[in-house]
Amino acid sequence: MSYRRQPGRLYRMPAHFGPTPGPRQRLDASRWTGAPSPRQTTLWADFATPAGQLEPLLPERFALDGEPRLRVRFRYLSQIAWLAGRGYNILDLAVPVVHQPSGCGEPVHGDLVLVLWESLADPIISGREELGYAKLYAEIPPARGAAGTGYMAGQASWDGFTFAELSIDGIGEPLPSGSGDAEAPLLHCRYLPSADDPGRADVDEVTVTPAGYPKREVLDRRTGSGATVRFTAGDFDRLPTLYHITARLAALDLAETTSCGVLTTLGGKDLSDQYVLR
């Protein structure tokens, strides 16, 4: 007898083996609870960027919001409950935007995530088509340096070729414990191409990760005096599936750092509050 999918349960391919465990569902259908998860250290820097270089990267109904800038973040996650305590690392790039929904909807302000690389397949599989995050794979080793020494740096590569590097200098003393961890909503372009009609999308929509992580505790927050970022375009031989992205990034003028820092937190959310803009 063939199987039927259980209503209200989350499936991912291959769906033949039943509901799929992941960040938003245990195998028994319960949610992840218990000790705060994950622990995360973030190296981040904002770079002033000419509007004329960022606007061609924005889809329809998006516009730059405020001073044009590119935010570059390396994030190092550990103690992840749904991975049985394991971790992985992330590089993401975002731009402050305003989105005007079709119809009479209110404009939505937030950071449009242009691309996000992760060092493990499992979070890519559970967050790409399912949530709309523009996830790709990269090798992202542990950060170099330490906040206490005043310097930290991260890098990302593909098959041994380094295409992104970020360094934070002049990292100061911890800010007061009451310092917040404010973040804007994250906007994503969820795109699924048709399987039998090239050029047509089965899904082409905007999803939103609301701001706010009520279960997250700020453990350490520091600002830096300056940052340097470098994107290397490579070529087809070195980055056969990424060159169209890295070439665009390498062409950006990112000389001026507007702000930067290092943030360590404990706890988060499972992104089950993700929603689609209608």
Side-chain angles (χ1 to χ4, degrees):
M1 177 183 292
S2 59
Y3 67 85
R4 292 185 178 181
R5 297 194 181 110
Q6 302 173 35
R9 298 300 305 279
L10 180 61
Y11 290 78
R12 302 184 193 94
M13 295 186 294
H16 318 298
F17 301 95
T20 312
R24 286 164 292 284
Q25 174 180 265
R26 290 175 179 261
L27 193 58
D28 64 2
S30 65
R31 300 276 289 276
W32 291 100
T33 59
S37 169
R39 183 183 178 94
Q40 177 173 275
T41 295
T42 301
L43 316 184
W44 64 272
D46 291 347
F47 295 91
T49 313
Q53 295 182 358
L54 292 178
E55 287 171 339
L57 298 173
L58 305 184
E60 293 181 322
R61 301 202 302 274
F62 282 88
L64 296 174
D65 192 16
E67 293 298 319
R69 61 175 172 83
L70 180 73
R71 169 161 289 189
V72 181
R73 296 192 304 178
F74 275 89
R75 293 185 281 157
Y76 302 89
L77 285 68
S78 61
Q79 303 173 25
I80 301 175
W82 70 273
L83 288 175
R86 296 173 177 83
Y88 61 92
N89 303 323
I90 302 171
L91 163 62
D92 63 67
L93 312 179
V95 178
V97 298
V98 57
H99 176 265
Q100 180 62 60
S102 59
C104 301
E106 292 293 322
V108 177
H109 298 260
D111 289 345
L112 174 64
V113 180
L114 299 176
V115 60
L116 185 153
W117 282 276
E118 292 180 328
S119 63
L120 189 67
D122 303 75
I124 297 175
I125 293 169
S126 63
R128 184 178 158 103
E129 285 75 17
E130 189 173 314
L131 299 176
Y133 278 63
K135 295 188 174 193
L136 297 169
Y137 171 77
E139 300 146 4
I140 307 175
R144 304 190 305 276
T149 68
Y151 170 84
M152 292 190 74
Q155 68 179 51
S157 61
W158 187 89
D159 197 26
F161 181 83
T162 299
F163 62 83
E165 300 168 273
L166 174 69
S167 61
I168 310 293
D169 297 295
I171 301 171
E173 294 299 314
L175 296 174
S177 58
S179 299
D181 180 24
E183 290 191 8
L186 300 179
L187 281 68
H188 317 267
C189 292
R190 183 170 178 257
Y191 183 93
L192 279 68
S194 168
D196 60 359
D197 186 3
R200 183 178 66 83
D202 285 342
V203 176
D204 189 358
E205 62 190 11
V206 177
T207 65
V208 180
T209 307
Y213 295 78
K215 295 183 179 181
R216 184 158 68 181
E217 176 188 0
V218 175
L219 302 180
D220 190 272
R221 184 171 182 261
R222 308 173 187 231
T223 58
S225 62
T228 302
V229 67
R230 180 185 179 188
F231 294 107
T232 303
D235 53 24
F236 174 76
D237 288 334
R238 293 173 176 84
L239 299 173
T241 62
L242 296 179
Y243 175 63
H244 67 296
I245 299 173
T246 55
R248 297 284 294 274
L249 297 176
L252 296 176
D253 180 6
L254 302 173
E256 181 186 352
T257 308
T258 59
S259 56
C260 60
V262 178
L263 175 70
T264 301
T265 60
L266 182 63
K269 61 182 179 181
D270 63 8
L271 303 181
S272 58
D273 57 352
Q274 189 89 339
Y275 68 93
V276 177
L277 285 181
R278 304 297 183 184

